[in-house]
């Protein structure tokens, strides 16, 4: 049985029917072949190898007759013809999506570690996944998470012309290759993705652009960090760009692990206590002054005070608490403390 069609036992008829069967398959454009099998005995079992890998099995049932040399020759022809057609692009193309799924899974699992392995995968898929790349991760809050991700995957199938998409560890990943770094296509992708994740009450994180697929693990972390910190700082949004959450991704782990006394300067603690005791506003004045990069006009406008009042406060801050903002390192340190305090409020 080949392709579900029972063949004749005569050697010449066998060859003719084999050619006829494969002509039908070739002309009709079948993307796969169901080799069938024989439930009766005796039977001849043959394997079809492509590049030393078993890709198919063929079973021949000679009816009530015995297994002869002609039948063994016929089986050899069948194996060779099957191997030829399976190896051709026409049949190989049907395996490309499967190769791509396994490829992205191996990539995300960290099992592809060098350029040689990458090139071997590209050859199997008969295509190259060229840079620049963007990685997107989608997670679902739905109680039936797997079903939601499956539906999102279907909705995302036609989002991009160059993408590999896979559900991996309960996260839907989309690898966009030949990705534009700017322009309408990127904006349209983000807009369409936002609509999809909103519909399923999901959320998505998008990495920065990158050019080396072997570093995909780093950008996988970016996508998940974008979702994690985006949900904390902007819970009403659905789409989070890692670019917008780099500082939280850097500082949040330290905030969670590091005791406050290990990073909070005594000068700010003393300033806060002084404000509470004397009804002054030195601490918010300093914060506004720093976040406005020492621009007195913008700071005075933000605080609704006169510029001279602002300068008086800054002088008193330096005098009372020993803070100087002329050093870039000291300026950055105090700015970072204020930023960490704002982040901590959202934990």
């Amino acid at each position: 049985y080949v392709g579900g069609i029972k063949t004749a036992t005569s050697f010449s008829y066998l060859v003719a029917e084999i050619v006829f069967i494969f002509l039908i398959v070739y002309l009709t454009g079948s993307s796969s072949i169901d080799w069938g099998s024989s439930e009766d005995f005796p039977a001849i079992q043959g394997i079809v190898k492509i590049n030393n890998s078993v890709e198919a099995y063929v079973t021949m049932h000679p009816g009530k007759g015995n297994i002869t040399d002609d039948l063994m020759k016929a089986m050899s022809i069948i194996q060779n013809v099957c191997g030829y057609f399976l190896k051709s692009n026409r049949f190989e193309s049907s395996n490309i999506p499967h190769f791509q799924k396994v490829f992205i899974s191996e990539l995300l699992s960290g099992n592809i570690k060098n350029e040689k392995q990458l090139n071997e995968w590209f050859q199997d898929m008969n295509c190259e996944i060229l840079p620049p790349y963007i990685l997107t991760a989608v997670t679902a809050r739905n109680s039936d998470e797997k079903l939601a991700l499956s539906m999102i995957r279907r909705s995302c199938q036609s989002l991009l012309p160059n993408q590999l998409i896979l559900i991996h560890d309960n996260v839907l990943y989309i690898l966009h290759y030949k990705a534009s770094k700017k322009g309408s296509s990127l904006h349209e992708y983000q807009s369409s993705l936002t609509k999809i994740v909103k519909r399923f009450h999901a959320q998505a994180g998008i990495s920065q652009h990158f050019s080396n697929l072997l570093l995909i693990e780093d950008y996988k972390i970016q996508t998940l960090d974008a979702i994690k910190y985006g949900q904390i700082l902007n819970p009403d949004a659905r789409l989070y760009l890692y670019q917008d959450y780099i500082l939280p991704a850097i500082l949040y782990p330290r905030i969670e692990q590091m005791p406050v006394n290990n990073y909070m300067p005594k000068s700010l603690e003393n300033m806060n206590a002084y404000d509470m005791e004397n009804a002054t506003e030195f601490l918010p004045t300093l914060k506004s002054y720093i976040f406005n990069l020492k621009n007195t006009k913008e700071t005075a406008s933000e605080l609704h005070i006169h510029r001279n009042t602002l300068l008086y406060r800054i002088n008193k801050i330096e005098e009372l608490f020993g803070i100087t903002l002329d050093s870039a390192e000291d300026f950055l340190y105090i700015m970072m403390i204020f930023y960490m305090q704002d982040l901590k409020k959202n934990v």
Side-chain angles (χ1 to χ4, degrees):
Y1 288 78
V2 180
I5 300 176
K6 188 175 181 180
T7 63
T9 53
S10 165
F11 176 69
S12 58
Y13 279 106
L14 268 174
V15 175
E17 289 190 8
I18 291 167
V19 174
F20 177 70
I21 289 167
F22 281 100
L23 272 176
I24 292 174
V25 174
Y26 183 82
L27 292 173
T28 55
S30 298
S31 60
S32 62
I33 300 174
D34 177 12
W35 300 113
S37 183
S38 175
E39 297 179 356
D40 302 320
F41 295 93
I44 304 172
Q45 184 85 35
I47 59 174
V48 180
K49 284 189 173 183
I50 306 297
N51 297 328
N52 293 321
S53 175
V54 176
E55 297 290 340
Y57 296 89
V58 184
T59 300
M60 180 187 296
H61 172 48
K64 296 181 180 180
N66 297 321
I67 296 174
T68 63
D69 289 340
D70 281 349
L71 290 176
M72 295 301 294
K73 290 178 183 178
M75 174 55 76
S76 178
I77 293 172
I78 291 171
Q79 289 171 264
N80 291 334
V81 173
C82 289
Y84 171 79
F85 279 99
L86 275 177
K87 195 172 183 180
S88 70
N89 288 335
R90 191 171 187 87
F91 288 94
E92 198 173 81
S93 64
S94 67
N95 289 326
I96 287 176
H98 303 293
F99 270 120
Q100 291 177 345
K101 286 181 181 179
V102 178
F103 168 71
I104 188 65
S105 177
E106 291 290 285
L107 199 60
L108 291 170
S109 299
N111 295 329
I112 300 177
K113 301 180 183 299
N114 55 57
E115 291 290 340
K116 181 180 178 182
Q117 289 176 306
L118 269 181
N119 292 330
E120 287 174 351
W121 275 100
F122 291 157
Q123 289 175 5
D124 288 337
M125 292 186 292
N126 199 28
C127 67
E128 282 189 289
I129 313 300
L130 297 174
Y133 310 105
I134 299 175
L135 186 65
T136 299
V138 180
T139 59
R141 298 175 184 171
N142 194 300
S143 57
D144 195 346
E145 185 180 56
K146 290 185 178 180
L147 178 60
L149 289 177
S150 180
M151 296 298 291
I152 294 170
R153 180 183 60 79
R154 293 182 187 178
S155 300
C156 291
Q157 288 286 9
S158 59
L159 268 185
L160 298 165
N162 304 308
Q163 68 176 18
L164 302 180
I165 186 167
L166 180 79
I167 297 174
H168 180 79
D169 291 337
N170 289 329
V171 178
L172 174 68
Y173 290 100
I174 303 171
L175 176 63
H176 182 194
Y177 57 97
K178 298 180 184 177
S180 171
K181 292 191 175 181
K182 56 184 178 179
S184 59
S185 60
L186 183 59
H187 177 73
E188 289 173 6
Y189 167 63
Q190 293 176 4
S191 178
S192 299
L193 182 61
T194 301
K195 292 177 182 178
I196 292 172
V197 295
K198 276 185 176 180
R199 191 192 319 156
F200 293 95
H201 304 287
Q203 47 282 316
I206 299 181
S207 76
Q208 296 173 306
H209 282 79
F210 60 103
S211 58
N212 187 350
L213 269 182
L214 297 176
L215 299 178
I216 197 170
E217 277 288 310
D218 296 344
Y219 297 91
K220 177 181 172 183
I221 293 171
Q222 284 192 8
T223 61
L224 299 179
D225 277 352
I227 294 173
K228 178 179 179 179
Y229 301 116
Q231 286 181 299
I232 293 172
L233 299 172
N234 194 5
D236 294 330
R238 294 293 181 182
L239 185 69
Y240 306 106
L241 306 181
Y242 179 73
Q243 184 65 39
D244 297 334
Y245 297 95
I246 294 177
L247 279 178
I250 295 171
L251 296 176
Y252 251 126
R254 297 306 296 157
I255 293 172
E256 293 173 336
Q257 299 167 7
M258 200 174 184
V260 176
N261 290 332
N262 288 11
Y263 61 82
M264 180 64 68
K266 291 296 181 183
S267 57
L268 294 188
E269 290 184 352
N270 295 336
M271 194 182 306
N272 184 52
Y274 187 93
D275 279 346
M276 294 179 67
E277 184 178 342
N278 297 280
T280 53
E281 295 183 351
F282 289 142
L283 194 63
T285 298
L286 178 62
K287 181 178 180 179
S288 177
Y289 186 58
I290 285 180
F291 280 147
N292 282 301
L293 303 177
K294 296 167 56 173
N295 185 309
T296 55
K297 182 179 179 180
E298 290 183 8
T299 305
S301 175
E302 184 176 283
L303 296 174
H304 305 290
I305 60 176
H306 194 273
R307 182 174 179 274
N308 290 340
T309 304
L310 172 63
L311 293 176
Y312 169 78
R313 290 184 184 179
I314 296 301
N315 288 333
K316 291 298 288 183
I317 287 170
E318 292 179 342
E319 177 187 329
L320 292 172
F321 306 105
I323 292 176
T324 58
L325 302 177
D326 294 332
S327 165
E329 186 175 340
D330 291 344
F331 182 88
L332 179 60
Y333 172 46
I334 296 175
M335 176 182 272
M336 185 177 69
I337 296 303
F338 281 129
Y339 186 80
M340 290 172 71
Q341 285 182 318
D342 288 343
L343 288 178
K344 194 173 179 66
K345 293 175 184 176
N346 294 289
V347 174

